Amino acid sequence: NNEWPDANNDAEKLAYAAMFGGEVTLTEDVALTQPLNIVEGANVVINLNGKTITTNEEQSGRHHYAILNNGTLSLNGNGAINARGIKNFGTMTVDGDLTITNVDTNGGAAIWNEGELTINNGTFISSVGATSGSYGAALNTRAGGKAVVNGGTFEAYSYLTYAIVNEGETTIYDAIVKGT
């Protein structure tokens, strides 16, 4: 993007896109040490391009969310995001053969949605069993959030995790749901 300063790697490109908007096609795996915070008004397109985004733990058993979206976010391509998940407060579209996995042992969601979300494809997993008193989810649409699912797979693997949680408005036209 011509408005960005020189970026040395994909993590820097993602940070600039989160602040100013723009498109990033990953050329390498990215390990985030803090969530990518997409600001209100930024329009960001991320093509995972077969690469993986991971996050570190912020405390025992709990990773950072990979992305906090307050703007407009489009995720596409193939690849993976392994983190506490993505929190969406803005407008978000997922369209590609990608996998987003909530890897936490204490809550979180592959996508925690409090905004406007459209899912056209992808796999969303809550892979690790949550501990007593908390839960995890593949998709968690909160009160006030709206989600439209046109395709995709939603998987949960423990008695305290859920494939889909809906306290908002979720419309499902086509999906594969495994687990609760």
Side-chain angles (χ1 to χ4, degrees):
N1 189 320
N2 293 334
E3 297 174 18
W4 301 347
D6 290 337
N8 295 313
N9 54 49
D10 284 352
E12 288 182 7
K13 291 175 187 175
L14 289 170
Y16 289 133
M19 288 187 291
F20 305 112
E23 297 184 21
V24 176
T25 298
L26 296 183
T27 60
E28 61 194 4
D29 292 340
V30 176
L32 298 172
T33 57
Q34 60 185 346
L36 182 67
N37 188 6
I38 298 173
V39 299
E40 189 173 338
N43 186 350
V44 178
V45 177
I46 301 172
N47 180 338
L48 292 173
N49 192 35
K51 306 303 179 194
T52 300
I53 296 173
T54 58
T55 61
N56 63 335
E57 288 188 353
E58 61 179 324
Q59 64 188 54
S60 180
R62 294 179 69 166
H63 290 74
H64 289 284
Y65 277 94
I67 300 170
L68 304 176
N69 178 43
N70 292 289
T72 300
L73 171 63
S74 296
L75 289 173
N76 58 54
N78 62 342
I81 297 175
N82 300 320
R84 190 166 173 85
I86 295 172
K87 272 191 170 181
N88 177 49
F89 302 101
T91 302
M92 180 174 159
T93 302
V94 179
D95 190 15
D97 188 21
L98 52 92
T99 301
I100 302 173
T101 304
N102 168 18
V103 298
D104 272 10
T105 59
N106 186 2
I111 298 180
W112 181 281
N113 179 43
E114 295 188 33
E116 302 279 333
L117 172 65
T118 302
I119 295 174
N120 295 317
N121 196 14
T123 301
F124 310 89
I125 301 170
S126 187
S127 68
V128 179
T131 58
S132 179
S134 68
Y135 64 91
L139 171 61
N140 190 339
T141 299
R142 308 303 297 165
K146 294 181 181 180
V148 175
V149 176
N150 297 309
T153 301
F154 301 83
E155 303 176 14
Y157 291 109
S158 131
Y159 74 98
L160 287 174
T161 60
Y162 302 91
I164 298 174
V165 174
N166 180 52
E167 295 179 3
E169 182 181 320
T170 298
T171 304
I172 301 172
Y173 293 103
D174 186 25
I176 297 169
V177 179
K178 299 176 181 179
T180 305

